[in-house]
Amino acid sequence: MRVAIAGAGAVGRSIAQELLENGHEVLLIDKNPRSIKVEAVAQAEWLLADACEIASLDDAGLERCHVVVAASGDDKVNLVVSLLAKTEYGVPRVVARINHPKNEWLFNESWGVDVAVSTPRLLSALVEEAVSVGDLVRLMTFRQGEANLVELTLPEDAPLAGQLVGSVAWPQDTALVAILREGRVLVPSDDDTLEGGDELMFVANQDVEDELGELLSAR
């Protein structure tokens, strides 16, 4: 998979390194010469250019990319890159970094964003996830489908503890995608049993989050 990353700062380089280790082809784009640190991610392609300009994106061959990541520290830049990637080059998947929570409402399909990642929101969600048992925590929003990745640690005394996954009447537009148990990641099947202490990962429509939380809660 070919991935273009606009913004070669610490965040962009870290993403690039992870993707390269997973066997993907990565292009890093940045207009600041001081950000072009080829030795830091030597396996990646590098382009010194302004990712907000059509000519630069033509040079980058954005039409050949499967994913574009707008990872700069400027929300305006990330929005422009996302919009150009989607509307001008038809990139199938656009992921954008949100730097300031007040701008979060802009990062949606109108600006070409498929997945918006808010660092402040993600950090606060991870804190909640670390200390919460029995409460639904939203980890990430998938803007295109208005669905969220949510997590809940099942209380020991929850009504669903001991029940089979396939026997639970989950809310509409909800999918249990993973169970984290004792250091293992389980892909749930209908015959798996839910246990107290399980970390349950769901992709769910935001309209059913309250219903899902009530179903899983011990209260």
Side-chain angles (χ1 to χ4, degrees), residues 15-60:
I15 296 169
Q17 192 62 57
E18 291 283 342
L19 291 171
L20 287 163
E21 290 175 0
N22 290 327
H24 300 294
E25 180 183 348
V26 176
L27 168 65
L28 280 158
I29 309 169
D30 205 296
K31 68 176 182 179
N32 187 348
R34 289 177 295 181
S35 296
I36 304 299
K37 299 179 179 180
V38 178
E39 70 283 355
V41 193
Q43 308 97 314
E45 298 177 45
W46 289 79
L47 179 63
L48 176 60
D50 187 344
C52 292
E53 295 183 356
I54 291 289
S56 299
L57 300 181
D58 285 342
D59 291 341

Side-chain angles (χ1 to χ4, degrees), residues 51-54 57 79-90:
C52 292
E53 295 183 356
I54 291 289
L57 300 181
L79 285 169
V80 171
V81 170
S82 298
L83 185 62
L84 292 175
K86 183 66 71 174
T87 60
E88 297 295 327
Y89 297 92

Side-chain angles (χ1 to χ4, degrees), residues 34-120:
R34 289 177 295 181
S35 296
I36 304 299
K37 299 179 179 180
V38 178
E39 70 283 355
V41 193
Q43 308 97 314
E45 298 177 45
W46 289 79
L47 179 63
L48 176 60
D50 187 344
C52 292
E53 295 183 356
I54 291 289
S56 299
L57 300 181
D58 285 342
D59 291 341
L62 220 67
E63 71 280 355
R64 296 187 288 113
C65 292
H66 303 92
V67 179
V68 165
V69 182
S72 83
D74 188 326
D75 284 344
K76 296 188 295 296
V77 170
N78 292 340
L79 285 169
V80 171
V81 170
S82 298
L83 185 62
L84 292 175
K86 183 66 71 174
T87 60
E88 297 295 327
Y89 297 92
V91 176
R93 196 73 168 163
V94 176
V95 180
R97 171 188 177 188
I98 304 172
N99 296 280
H100 301 290
K102 67 178 182 179
N103 297 328
E104 190 171 344
W105 66 277
L106 288 165
F107 285 74
N108 54 39
E109 63 275 7
S110 298
W111 280 93
V113 178
D114 296 306
V115 179
V117 181
S118 170
T119 303

Side-chain angles (χ1 to χ4, degrees), residues 140-160:
M140 184 177 294
T141 298
F142 303 101
R143 293 288 183 181
Q144 193 171 44
E146 295 300 326
N148 300 316
L149 177 65
V150 297
E151 182 271 351
L152 181 139
T153 299
L154 194 67
E156 296 289 344
D157 57 346
L160 294 186

